Amino acid sequence: MKEEIKVPAMGESITEATVGTLIKPSGSTVQVDDEILELETDKVNQVLYAKASGVLTLQVKPGETVTIGQVVGFVDTEAKATQGSASEPQATVPKTEEKAQAKPQEAPQPSQGIRYGKEAFLEDVVKPEQKDFPQSVPVGKTREQEIPQLEEEAPPPKKMEGRETRRKMSQIRKVIANRLVEAQQTTAMLTTFNEIDFSAIMAAREKYKDAFLKKHGVKLGFMSFFVKAVVSALREVPDLNSYIDGNEIVHREYFDIGIAVGTDRGLIVPVLRNCEQLSFAEVEKDIEAYAKKAREGRLAVDDLQGGGFTITNGGIYGSLLSTPILNPPQCGILGMHKIEKRAVVVDDQIVIRPMMYVALSYDHRIVDGKEAVTFLVHVKNALEDPSRLLIEV
């Protein structure tokens, strides 16, 4: 009996995928639930598993584009692995090597290869019988002048092997590249900056981190403060929670916030749903769950779809300042950066405070500068005085 292996449905917006790594080679024996191959989509990568035990036959190759529902191979539950299958590679001798073994290679003659200058002339141009020049030369000429002078040629540059390597772009990298170019070409993107004094948040976090961990089973991080501050600011400036559809501006009445996460395969943005209804602990738990799924490659398409606003944290990599690029069709993205102690003026006194630069990139077609600055100042005030988040001011 042959069990077909088909490309599964992977979301409404996904119609095709690219064959990535072949985890099990064609002709090998597989067991139920063994990983067979990996499919790359414009959202996430998905692994296909064996539904039965038997001998695997694949009908696709890495890099090949497949469609939803397409049969990419099958598992024969009654067959046995053939000797010399891909799972048991045998040494093969290329035809060129076979010919070399069949006929000994003759040693190269002295005239073979490329030589330069006078030596090349003497060895390859002048005939053997002409190499013995007469002792006497015409009057007024020297022996050197009697020999035609060849223009000295510079030796060819040495080939430096391994200076460049090539690799095929993954499907997710192609999508990231296209999206970034699309954002630059189709939006009127502008960025405004501010800085935040983290003294209050760091003090609150230090005071309650142990109790928070004990009660909720998750650490209290900075991202939950940012998510709640962004929701509060989006209520104040609703246009930043909107998008353009034709000649209309569509406003979202919900608060789904994307959290940009860097992975080995590229940048992905899982979405926290209905953040206005989440507590600090629920935000931290959702972020931790998404981070774990991202590391294990288990993010589903639904985890990445939607989202009205994005938060990205370049500070974890040491970035001090940057201009984040919009994630269309969203019209706003907030960039967090490294917390660094700096000298600032507070009440006419120079003091040392933990400071962070923040950047808001926005689509100027929807949001004016006044609204953008208002949003960023609202976030700043909420984070410098977290009690504002409790009384919603």
Side-chain angles (χ1 to χ4, degrees), residues 35 38 43-47 49 263 265 268 270 288-304:
E35 296 182 348
E38 188 176 45
K43 297 289 186 180
V44 292
N45 289 10
Q46 181 161 330
V47 175
Y49 300 89
T263 69
R265 293 172 179 166
I268 56 178
E288 186 179 76
Y290 277 138
K292 182 178 180 181
K293 292 175 70 175
R295 289 193 300 269
E296 298 174 353
R298 296 187 297 104
L299 281 172
V301 176
D302 291 341
D303 296 333
L304 308 177

Side-chain angles (χ1 to χ4, degrees), residues 24-29 55 81-90:
K24 292 286 187 180
S26 184
S28 62
T29 301
V55 177
T82 58
Q83 191 173 12
S85 65
S87 60
E88 299 175 359
Q90 295 181 348

Side-chain angles (χ1 to χ4, degrees), residues 253-359:
E253 301 294 339
Y254 53 90
F255 300 90
D256 289 357
I257 309 298
I259 307 296
V261 178
T263 69
D264 294 338
R265 293 172 179 166
L267 185 69
I268 56 178
V269 188
V271 179
L272 305 182
R273 312 290 179 181
N274 301 315
C275 291
E276 75 280 9
Q277 302 175 13
L278 300 180
S279 65
F280 278 73
E282 289 171 330
V283 170
E284 295 292 351
K285 287 179 180 179
D286 284 353
I287 293 174
E288 186 179 76
Y290 277 138
K292 182 178 180 181
K293 292 175 70 175
R295 289 193 300 269
E296 298 174 353
R298 296 187 297 104
L299 281 172
V301 176
D302 291 341
D303 296 333
L304 308 177
Q305 289 182 334
F309 189 92
T310 295
I311 302 174
T312 179
N313 184 9
I316 59 176
Y317 305 111
S319 173
L320 187 62
L321 191 62
S322 67
T323 56
I325 298 179
L326 291 171
N327 183 21
Q330 299 175 16
C331 69
I333 179 171
L334 180 67
M336 301 167 55
H337 299 92
K338 178 183 178 182
I339 299 174
E340 190 171 62
K341 289 184 178 181
R342 294 200 300 271
V344 295
V345 178
V346 178
D347 296 331
D348 294 331
Q349 298 292 323
I350 298 178
V351 297
I352 304 298
R353 293 291 175 88
M355 305 296 293
M356 174 193 284
Y357 290 119
V358 288

Side-chain angles (χ1 to χ4, degrees), residues 36-102:
I36 296 176
L37 60 83
E38 188 176 45
L39 296 177
E40 297 180 352
T41 72
D42 61 352
K43 297 289 186 180
V44 292
N45 289 10
Q46 181 161 330
V47 175
L48 300 188
Y49 300 89
K51 295 183 179 179
S53 299
V55 177
L56 172 67
T57 299
L58 293 176
Q59 301 171 336
V60 293
K61 298 178 181 180
E64 186 174 335
T65 300
V66 294
T67 58
I68 303 301
Q70 178 179 335
V71 177
V72 297
F74 58 86
V75 175
D76 192 337
T77 59
E78 299 176 357
K80 295 182 179 179
T82 58
Q83 191 173 12
S85 65
S87 60
E88 299 175 359
Q90 295 181 348
T92 59
V93 180
K95 293 183 178 180
T96 55
E97 293 185 13
E98 290 178 357
K99 292 180 180 179
Q101 293 175 1

Side-chain angles (χ1 to χ4, degrees), residues 192 237 240 360 362 364 367-377:
T192 185
V237 186
L240 273 162
L360 173 69
Y362 59 97
H364 214 335
V367 181
D368 292 329
K370 175 185 175 182
E371 285 73 26
V373 174
T374 299
F375 175 94
L376 201 54
V377 170

Side-chain angles (χ1 to χ4, degrees), residues 200-220:
I201 290 181
M202 294 180 74
R205 186 167 175 250
E206 182 66 25
K207 182 177 181 180
Y208 296 110
K209 64 178 183 180
D210 294 335
F212 190 90
L213 178 61
K214 182 178 180 180
K215 181 176 181 179
H216 302 291
V218 66
K219 293 181 179 180
L220 177 61

Side-chain angles (χ1 to χ4, degrees), residues 1 13 85 130-131 174 230 234 386:
M1 178 180 177
S13 61
S85 65
Q130 294 177 330
K131 290 182 181 178
K174 290 179 184 178
V230 163
L234 288 176

Side-chain angles (χ1 to χ4, degrees), residues 159-166:
K159 292 183 179 180
M160 304 295 290
E161 301 294 338
R163 296 187 71 187
E164 294 181 346
T165 58
R166 291 175 179 266

